[in-house]
Amino acid sequence: MKKIIVTATALVATAAFALTGCSAERGGDTAGSGEEAEAGFAADSSIGVALPDKTSENWVLAGKLFTDGLEEAGFKADVQYAPASNTVAEQQNQIQAMVTNGAKVIIIGAKDGKQLATQVQAAKDAGAYVIAYDRLIENTEAVDYYVAFDNFKVGELQGQALLDGLAERAGHEAPYNIELFSGSPDDANSKVFFDGAMSVLQDKIDDGTLNVVSGQTEIAQTATEGWLPENAQNRMDTLLTSSYSGDTVVDGVLSPNDTLARAIITSVQQAGKPVPVVTGQDSEVESVKSIMEGIQYSTINKDTTLLVEQAIKMVGQLQKGDDVDVNDTESYDNGAKIVDSYLLDPIIVTKENAAEAYANVPSLLEIVESYQ
Ligand code: BGC
């Protein structure tokens, strides 16, 4: 009987998807993962939010928005950051404590998405829901939903911005000398960003439009451990010494985010070379200023307010026992299952479209307008 109801619900969900996007049936996906979560929970329940260390402004902002937004929605917010040292173990402990304290939903921005299987399984066994926030949690069935900006699209936009920036600013025809950077290997997003960018750049490398002078095109060679700016700066210093001696100029650098973009630019400036076209992501204040000053070429607007709002909306739907909004049920295979996802649309930002791109982000719009 239960099976029939589930099937009927799935059919309705499929029909709804055809019309308006889709909804995942809540609670139906916990097969093999211990006790089933109950339908709905008390409206004043505790909600755990485990965030990684503060490697970029978006994480800092997310913590505040989660605290305020969850409290406003009537929940008890238990928001924790993993400290900068011993981060993985500390985040594991924090999640375990949220489970013990009876959180009904645990929202996780993973420090290392491959090392949380035990903790999220404990959450499921206790009847809680798990939402992966911004970064996927891998190799476990015990993650219910993923909410993020479309990471592959972020990479595509970065790759295209690099090409556009080179055409605009390099001051000469192709071939262009470029270098590639990617994010931390323990963050599932890093590969998706890089793959997205390479889906645009690889053909141009193959046909000789782009010349990766160092020859370092494998993700392992381009990685930036811990997303730490000093690691990107050191690698750029080394690349400049080894591959850009004398008058050789680097025309462009694919940078996966703003923190690293600024470190790369600093390295090139310290070497006394002209600033290349450098991409970024996150719309950090210093990078938006740099873009308006004509230094960094691009960033991506991933409005943290919207992402946190979406995550809190999911919590509300779970609390009521409603269907949870998802709009992607095929892209994010975490190694154990395809995780139902809600993906938001990232927006590319250059000096040219900054005012338009930040029309709904007053604090950044103010910065842009101060340069106009
Ligand atoms: C986020 C990026 C951020 C990076 C470093 C990634 O998982 O998606 O927005 O720049 O982590 O904090």
Side-chain angles (χ1 to χ4, degrees):
M1 181 64 185
K2 185 171 180 225
K3 211 168 190 176
I4 293 165
I5 294 167
V6 168
T7 310
T9 313
L11 282 175
V12 172
T14 311
F17 176 58
L19 293 171
T20 58
C22 76
S23 261
E25 186 209 342
R26 60 169 299 288
D29 240 295
T30 45
S33 53
E35 181 186 316
E36 287 249 326
E38 286 165 30
F41 48 82
D44 62 351
S45 297
S46 172
I47 307 299
V49 181
L51 298 172
D53 47 0
K54 304 174 181 179
T55 40
S56 49
E57 281 168 13
N58 55 340
W59 295 115
V60 180
L61 181 58
K64 186 183 165 352
L65 293 171
F66 270 121
T67 306
D68 295 352
L70 285 168
E71 299 278 346
E72 216 168 278
F75 298 107
K76 291 187 200 71
D78 179 7
V79 179
Q80 308 278 341
Y81 281 95
S85 62
N86 213 13
T87 319
V88 172
E90 292 291 346
Q91 186 170 58
Q92 291 170 336
N93 292 340
Q94 288 171 339
I95 295 168
Q96 190 57 57
M98 289 168 186
V99 174
T100 309
N101 293 336
K104 293 295 180 199
V105 182
I106 303 184
I107 298 168
I108 303 173
K111 167 62 184 168
D112 183 338
K114 286 193 173 64
Q115 298 205 52
L116 293 177
T118 307
Q119 290 70 33
V120 296
Q121 187 60 53
K124 294 298 325 163
D125 291 347
Y129 292 95
V130 174
I131 301 176
Y133 172 86
D134 189 282
R135 299 174 173 177
L136 193 59
I137 298 169
E138 297 177 87
N139 303 332
T140 170
E141 290 194 1
V143 48
D144 295 296
Y145 301 101
Y146 179 45
V147 60
F149 280 88
D150 183 337
N151 299 304
F152 192 84
K153 179 145 186 225
V154 166
E156 285 178 320
L157 292 171
Q158 290 172 331
Q160 190 55 49
L162 183 62
L163 293 179
D164 294 346
L166 288 167
E168 235 175 77
R169 290 195 182 169
H172 62 85
E173 299 289 303
Y176 303 116
N177 291 342
I178 66 158
E179 293 300 332
L180 306 169
F181 281 70
S182 57
S184 190
D186 55 11
D187 176 355
N189 285 352
S190 298
K191 182 172 183 318
V192 188
F193 296 148
F194 193 71
D195 287 349
M198 291 306 262
S199 74
V200 175
L201 300 176
Q202 189 64 57
D203 282 353
K204 302 287 176 190
I205 295 173
D206 294 343
D207 74 11
T209 306
L210 301 176
N211 177 21
V212 183
V213 178
S214 68
Q216 297 182 10
T217 55
E218 296 301 321
I219 189 164
Q221 298 173 303
T222 63
T224 311
E225 199 66 49
W227 286 101
L228 292 174
E230 54 268 36
N231 292 340
Q233 192 165 335
N234 286 340
R235 176 162 177 259
M236 193 68 214
D237 289 349
T238 307
L239 290 172
L240 290 171
T241 314
S242 60
S243 305
Y244 295 86
S245 58
D247 291 340
T248 312
V249 162
V250 53
D251 297 309
V253 180
L254 175 77
S255 166
N257 81 357
D258 286 348
T259 318
L260 306 189
R262 298 194 301 276
I264 291 162
I265 291 169
T266 301
S267 166
V268 181
Q269 285 172 329
Q270 285 178 356
K273 302 252 182 201
V275 173
V277 171
V278 182
T279 61
Q281 160 173 215
D282 294 333
S283 296
E284 296 201 338
V285 168
E286 286 313 310
S287 285
V288 172
K289 289 182 183 167
S290 175
I291 288 170
M292 296 316 292
E293 283 161 16
I295 304 168
Q296 186 174 324
Y297 180 72
S298 66
T299 184
I300 305 268
N301 180 15
K302 302 199 304 186
D303 189 342
T304 304
T305 309
L306 298 181
L307 192 59
V308 170
E309 266 174 23
Q310 189 61 41
I312 294 177
K313 193 172 163 196
M314 286 173 152
V315 174
Q317 289 165 336
L318 289 168
Q319 186 271 315
K320 292 191 191 70
D322 290 347
D323 287 350
V324 170
D325 285 346
V326 296
N327 61 10
D328 184 299
T329 52
E330 54 187 38
S331 301
Y332 284 93
D333 184 341
N334 78 345
K337 72 176 202 183
I338 295 176
V339 184
D340 287 340
S341 305
Y342 195 99
L343 303 181
L344 283 81
D345 224 14
I347 300 169
I348 189 71
V349 186
T350 60
K351 187 173 179 178
E352 210 182 312
N353 77 339
E356 192 193 327
Y358 297 135
N360 297 321
V361 191
S363 56
L364 296 177
L365 187 59
E366 198 180 314
I367 295 174
V368 170
E369 284 174 344
S370 75
Y371 285 89
Q372 286 169 343

